[in-house]
Amino acid sequence: MDVQDASATPVSAESPDAARRTLLLVDDEQNILAALKRLLRRDDYHILTATSGQEGLDLLAGHAVDVIVSDQRMPGMLGADFLRKARLLYPQTMRIMLSGYTELQAVTDAVNEGAIFKFLTKPWDDQQLRAHIAEAFRLKGIDDDNVRLNEQLREANLALSVANDAMQALLRQQQNQISHDEVSLGIAREVLQFLPLPILGLGEDGMIAFINAAAARLFDGGAALLGCEAALVLPRLFEPYAGAQRLLVIDGKSYVVALHAMGARSRSRGSLVTLCLTGAPP
């Protein structure tokens, strides 16, 4: 086995050689290999050589090869059989047959099976051979780019799927929390509704948002007060000591009026106004 620059050491994906364009030449004639190496060295390829199909497979097992150029008639294993095995084991390689024997059926079968990218005859035209090999490397580069882009797309889709799952889980959690809050709010409103203590709920803007049954009875048809500005429709609850606890006489009964700001222990906003009957004569 003849390997340029003693490069039989496998090239790892992390090494600088991993990015080099690697060409494998397989021919049982040393003079052919030497001539090809002299011709192709000017194109700055990383060139590996083998004198048989088996040696070529051994090199493929240890090196990231981009393009293979193989003779057809070699002892032990025909070039077409070697390229078939190379295609099966290393489908990402571009495979070229260079032979002085035009065995039409064997070559046709290999081409039809996809084992051969190009078939060139010996003796070769230097410029034509260099052009075909350069084209093989160009197509290999496109294939590598497509593989890389597909992998990046797969990773991006996976990350998007994970993010989407997390967002869906957060949304379900928020929906559950909203449902829980709605249930809690419904229970609280029902409790407030049936308390004998007159209670009004005010929004942050001072509008009446809630009035329980006791308050509705106290203020005669309290439903009409909903959505109204409390300080305008019920000024006696807020004047002259707005927000302060004080006594108020309604229909001959004395009440302690108190304003309670919401939000101290919850996310509620606004305030509650309570009227507590004192039992003392006015």
Side-chain angles (χ1 to χ4, degrees), residues 101-167:
Y101 300 93
T102 54
E103 297 168 336
L104 185 59
Q105 189 59 50
V107 172
T108 301
D109 290 344
V111 170
N112 290 338
E113 294 168 12
I116 298 175
F117 164 64
K118 292 282 186 181
F119 176 79
L120 306 175
T121 59
K122 297 177 183 177
W124 61 82
D125 177 271
D126 287 355
Q127 296 307 316
Q128 185 183 57
L129 177 59
R130 290 177 63 198
H132 283 305
I133 292 176
E135 175 68 4
F137 274 103
R138 187 185 71 82
L139 294 177
K140 177 61 165 56
I142 293 174
D143 288 343
D144 289 345
D145 288 342
N146 288 336
V147 169
R148 183 169 57 254
L149 290 174
N150 285 334
E151 178 62 21
Q152 291 174 350
L153 180 61
R154 188 192 69 81
E155 293 176 355
N157 286 337
L158 179 60
L160 184 62
S161 176
V162 171
N164 185 63
D165 290 344
M167 185 168 61

Side-chain angles (χ1 to χ4, degrees), residues 22 59 101 139 179:
T22 300
L59 280 175
Y101 300 93
L139 294 177
S179 297

Side-chain angles (χ1 to χ4, degrees), residues 23-100:
L23 172 66
L24 172 61
L25 304 175
V26 184
D27 199 302
D28 61 319
E29 297 186 40
Q30 290 285 358
N31 62 320
I32 297 294
L33 291 176
L36 289 172
K37 287 170 63 176
R38 285 193 301 271
L39 172 65
L40 299 171
R41 187 180 290 119
R42 72 187 74 175
D43 295 318
D44 196 30
Y45 300 134
H46 180 220
I47 300 176
L48 308 175
T49 62
T51 57
S52 70
Q54 186 56 55
E55 289 183 3
L57 292 175
D58 292 341
L59 280 175
L60 287 170
H63 296 265
V65 173
D66 299 301
V67 177
I68 303 170
V69 177
S70 174
D71 187 24
Q72 164 65 352
R73 284 198 174 181
M74 295 182 293
M77 185 185 302
L78 291 176
D81 294 331
F82 161 65
L83 292 177
R84 285 189 183 95
K85 291 184 178 181
R87 174 180 178 269
L88 179 64
L89 297 172
Y90 310 99
Q92 75 281 3
T93 56
M94 301 295 292
R95 297 163 297 278
I96 298 174
M97 180 175 286
L98 178 64
S99 178

Side-chain angles (χ1 to χ4, degrees), residues 208-246:
I208 299 176
F210 171 80
I211 182 167
N212 73 348
R217 290 191 296 270
L218 182 63
F219 295 112
D220 297 330
L225 301 176
L226 290 175
C228 298
E229 187 173 349
L232 293 179
V233 295
L234 297 173
R236 50 187 171 167
L237 295 183
F238 304 95
E239 296 175 356
Y241 306 106
Q245 189 177 67
R246 63 191 184 88

